Amino acid sequence: MGNAPIGHTRWAIADGYIPAWSHGPEPEMTSHEGLCILNAGDRDVEVRITLYFTDREPAGPYMVRVGARRTNHVRMNLLKDPEPVPLGTPYSSVVEADGPVVVQLTRLDSRQAENALLTTIAFAG
Amino acid sequence: MGNAPIGHTRWAIADGYIPAWSHGPEPEMTSHEGLCILNAGDRDVEVRITLYFTDREPAGPYMVRVGARRTNHVRMNLLKDPEPVPLGTPYSSVVEADGPVVVQLTRLDSRQAENALLTTIAFAG
Amino acid sequence: MGNAPIGHTRWAIADGYIPAWSHGPEPEMTSHEGLCILNAGDRDVEVRITLYFTDREPAGPYMVRVGARRTNHVRMNLLKDPEPVPLGTPYSSVVEADGPVVVQLTRLDSRQAENALLTTIAFAG
Amino acid sequence: MGNAPIGHTRWAIADGYIPAWSHGPEPEMTSHEGLCILNAGDRDVEVRITLYFTDREPAGPYMVRVGARRTNHVRMNLLKDPEPVPLGTPYSSVVEADGPVVVQLTRLDSRQAENALLTTIAFAG
């Protein structure tokens, strides 16, 4: 690529929800959300994730680094700092990066015997 | 964020459909659609939802408030005013807000024993 | 709405596929794709759908009308003119309208005992 | 279409993952990802796919041709040159074409007895 790396520096996802229980072998089938961040550029990118809730002030920022020419599929249920992401609780995310990235959210829901999946490219704005 | 809050003031979702029956424990596994609205800004936002159908005039507006720095995952099957959203009926939604928001639709379909999920960021236009 | 109706006049969906078999009660659980078209404007819209395949020339146009302030969830497996859409065959769609519409594709796959769903807003270009 | 063919020449998908095992009849129910590429234009298009990983340098380019007025639903698990796509491994994709195309990713996950699906139009940037 001779031109600028693909992406945008601010993204939002309105629907976040980590199901509170799971069926099937861990860790593949544990209910989770993956916030997937691609950095196709040639320098490392620092990412700030802020979480919004229904009835309290936002949590964060959660700081994540994505190396040059790397992807980081952040498991939201593993974030601990500054606080864990509550299970079974509706939330939204805003992702801000100091370089262009591409963001997508995927959820695996294994609350019932068979898993269900959803995904969407985030909103770039 | 020093710049304007992320989002857009008009959104549309072409596919709406609340499955007419469900399996599994309520309320988590009740078939439903969630219209997820993020307001990452510093003032409350008033939202108007209009529903479009196959063979009748639109319903609405349904008025919803989303507080500053809050998210509202609106369960479409709980909307009652000016009229309930019919089950098992194709519809579409237009969302208009007096400030920038981000909109995403998610459906949980538990008509069969295991649930299925879909989601998409709405169209900003 | 005092301003122009929401939408765009040309859309594309790269992944089309109608699963060739089904489980469960008809018609709700029949495997199908729904091409959902919202016309939030105040005049009827004429829509042309063209289908692209792996190894043959395109099919169409399929002509569909969407009334003013109406939605049309077109079941792709019911289109017959100029030819039926083949089952179990990868395809893509281009949707062209003579007024602004919003387009989304949803698939219900009931080839196994429990159904799976996918959806995405189409690409507006 | 009197105007330019629909699409864009650079696309990205942040979430790639080919599940490492499957249930059900092959090839329909084999876990896979389909990278669907529509070329609605009147000349053939050459496509370069580059894959990004968590902890190694990118793989590729994988070269794919999409004929004029054709679609190509590339099964990622069948790509072999320059190297196979690893199973059960998070990755991201960048798609670059020498003409306008539309790109969408779909995953079928049949690791459990019933399949799950996800899809999203890629990010055009």
Side-chain angles (χ1 to χ4, degrees), chain A residues 52-104:
Chain A
Y52 295 81
F53 298 96
T54 302
D55 49 14
R56 48 159 287 196
E57 286 294 312
Y62 298 85
M63 302 303 297
V64 172
R65 176 174 286 266
V66 189
R69 301 176 302 281
R70 294 292 185 275
T71 188
N72 191 337
H73 291 208
V74 179
R75 278 216 174 197
M76 297 302 286
N77 36 325
L78 299 183
L79 291 180
K80 299 295 179 215
D81 180 18
E83 57 182 294
V85 183
L87 304 184
T89 304
Y91 71 97
S92 296
S93 310
V94 171
V95 175
E96 297 165 283
D98 64 3
V101 294
V102 179
V103 175
Q104 180 175 351

Side-chain angles (χ1 to χ4, degrees), chain A residues 1 3-8 11 23-25 28-29 34 36-41 68-73 101-108 110 112-122 124, chain D residues 10-17 19 21 48 51-58 89-96 105 107-125:
Chain A
M1 276 186 278
N3 38 9
I6 191 168
H8 203 82
W11 298 80
H23 280 84
E28 289 90 346
M29 288 298 147
C36 305
I37 308 171
L38 166 63
N39 173 13
R69 301 176 302 281
R70 294 292 185 275
T71 188
N72 191 337
H73 291 208
V101 294
V102 179
V103 175
Q104 180 175 351
L105 185 92
T106 297
R107 184 186 305 161
L108 184 150
S110 66
Q112 295 185 310
E114 313 303 336
N115 64 310
L117 290 173
L118 61 77
T119 201
T120 188
I121 291 283
Chain D
R10 196 168 63 159
W11 298 80
I13 300 152
D15 186 14
Y17 184 86
W21 71 92
R48 291 164 49 97
L51 305 185
Y52 294 83
F53 298 96
T54 302
D55 48 14
R56 48 159 287 196
E57 286 295 312
T89 304
Y91 70 97
S92 297
S93 309
V94 170
V95 176
E96 297 166 283
L105 184 93
R107 183 186 306 162
L108 185 149
D109 179 350
S110 66
R111 289 176 295 181
Q112 295 185 311
E114 313 302 335
N115 64 310
L117 291 172
L118 61 77
T119 201
T120 188
I121 291 282
F123 173 74

Side-chain angles (χ1 to χ4, degrees), chain B residues 10 15 53 57 92 96 112, chain C residues 1 4 69 71 104 106 115:
Chain B
R10 196 169 62 159
D15 186 13
F53 299 96
E57 286 295 313
S92 297
E96 297 165 283
Q112 294 184 311
Chain C
M1 276 186 277
R69 300 176 303 280
T71 187
Q104 179 175 351
T106 297
N115 64 310

Side-chain angles (χ1 to χ4, degrees), chain B residues 96-110:
Chain B
E96 297 165 283
D98 64 2
V101 294
V102 179
V103 174
Q104 180 175 350
L105 186 92
T106 297
R107 184 185 307 161
L108 185 149
D109 180 348
S110 65

Side-chain angles (χ1 to χ4, degrees), chain B residues 32-54:
Chain B
H32 68 273
E33 288 195 322
L35 185 74
C36 304
I37 308 171
L38 166 63
N39 172 12
D42 286 326
R43 60 176 200 81
D44 293 3
V45 166
E46 202 73 42
V47 177
R48 290 164 52 97
I49 304 168
T50 306
L51 306 185
Y52 295 82
F53 299 96
T54 302

Side-chain angles (χ1 to χ4, degrees), chain B residues 24-97:
Chain B
E26 293 185 7
E28 288 90 346
M29 289 298 147
T30 304
S31 288
H32 68 273
E33 288 195 322
L35 185 74
C36 304
I37 308 171
L38 166 63
N39 172 12
D42 286 326
R43 60 176 200 81
D44 293 3
V45 166
E46 202 73 42
V47 177
R48 290 164 52 97
I49 304 168
T50 306
L51 306 185
Y52 295 82
F53 299 96
T54 302
D55 49 14
R56 49 159 287 196
E57 286 295 313
Y62 298 84
M63 303 302 297
V64 172
R65 176 174 287 265
V66 189
R69 299 176 304 280
R70 294 292 186 276
T71 188
N72 192 337
H73 291 208
V74 179
R75 277 216 175 198
M76 297 302 285
N77 35 326
L78 299 184
L79 291 179
K80 298 297 177 214
D81 179 20
E83 58 182 292
V85 184
L87 304 184
T89 304
Y91 70 96
S92 297
S93 311
V94 171
V95 176
E96 297 165 283

Side-chain angles (χ1 to χ4, degrees), chain C residues 58-120:
Chain C
Y62 297 85
M63 303 302 298
V64 172
R65 176 174 287 265
V66 189
R69 300 176 303 280
R70 294 292 186 276
T71 187
N72 192 336
H73 291 207
V74 179
R75 278 217 175 197
M76 297 302 286
N77 35 325
L78 299 184
L79 292 179
K80 299 296 178 215
D81 180 19
E83 58 182 293
V85 183
L87 304 185
T89 304
Y91 70 98
S92 298
S93 310
V94 170
V95 176
E96 297 165 283
D98 65 2
V101 294
V102 179
V103 175
Q104 179 175 351
L105 185 92
T106 297
R107 184 186 305 162
L108 185 149
D109 179 348
S110 65
R111 289 177 293 182
Q112 295 184 311
E114 313 301 337
N115 64 310
L117 291 173
L118 61 75
T119 200
T120 189

